[in-house]
């Protein structure tokens, strides 16, 4: 299901719309998390996936993508590595 962008309430101090955090571009406000009441923002990853992310994770740099960034960096880090007599050529 596609995340829904909501109007930004007056209580939000900083509008993150349009800002880019590593691979995530903020599209708009996504509401508040029920458990923590933290602001959630709808973001689009470079791969095209839309995700809802907590503002604190974006600002602190703890959330960089929808998950594809970590997967790609893990794949790149194995290329050229040796495991016994085996060398990783490509992933």
């Amino acid at each position: 299901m596609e995340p829904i962008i909501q109007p930004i309430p007056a209580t939000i101090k900083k509008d993150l719309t349009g800002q880019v955090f590593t691979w995530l571009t903020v599209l708009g406000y996504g509401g508040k998390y029920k458990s923590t009441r933290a602001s959630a923002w709808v973001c689009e990853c470079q791969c095209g996936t839309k995700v809802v992310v907590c503002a604190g994770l974006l600002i602190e740099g703890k959330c960089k993508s929808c998950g594809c960034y970590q997967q790609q960096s893990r794949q790149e880090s194995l290329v050229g590595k040796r495991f016994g007599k085996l060398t990783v050529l490509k992933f």
Side-chain angles (χ1 to χ4, degrees):
M1 191 164 102
E2 182 101 4
I4 298 171
I5 296 174
Q6 302 176 10
I8 300 172
T11 56
I12 300 297
K13 296 174 183 157
K14 188 172 184 182
D15 184 4
L16 301 179
T17 305
Q19 292 189 36
V20 178
F21 298 90
T22 313
W23 283 13
L24 294 174
T25 303
V26 181
L27 300 177
Y29 181 71
K32 287 196 176 277
Y33 285 106
K34 290 180 183 176
S35 59
T36 61
R37 302 295 297 153
S39 298
W41 294 86
V42 178
C43 302
E44 184 172 22
C45 186
Q46 281 185 354
C47 70
T49 305
K50 290 185 180 171
V51 292
V52 178
V53 182
C54 175
L57 295 177
L58 287 171
I59 293 167
E60 294 171 11
K62 293 183 178 176
C63 186
K64 297 178 167 95
S65 71
C66 66
C68 64
Y69 180 83
Q70 183 178 11
Q71 183 180 9
Q72 181 179 351
S73 63
R74 188 178 317 132
Q75 290 173 357
E76 290 173 356
S77 65
L78 290 177
V79 176
K81 297 256 171 112
R82 293 183 58 90
F83 297 92
K85 294 181 178 180
L86 301 174
T87 304
V88 178
L89 300 176
K90 65 179 180 177
F91 198 89

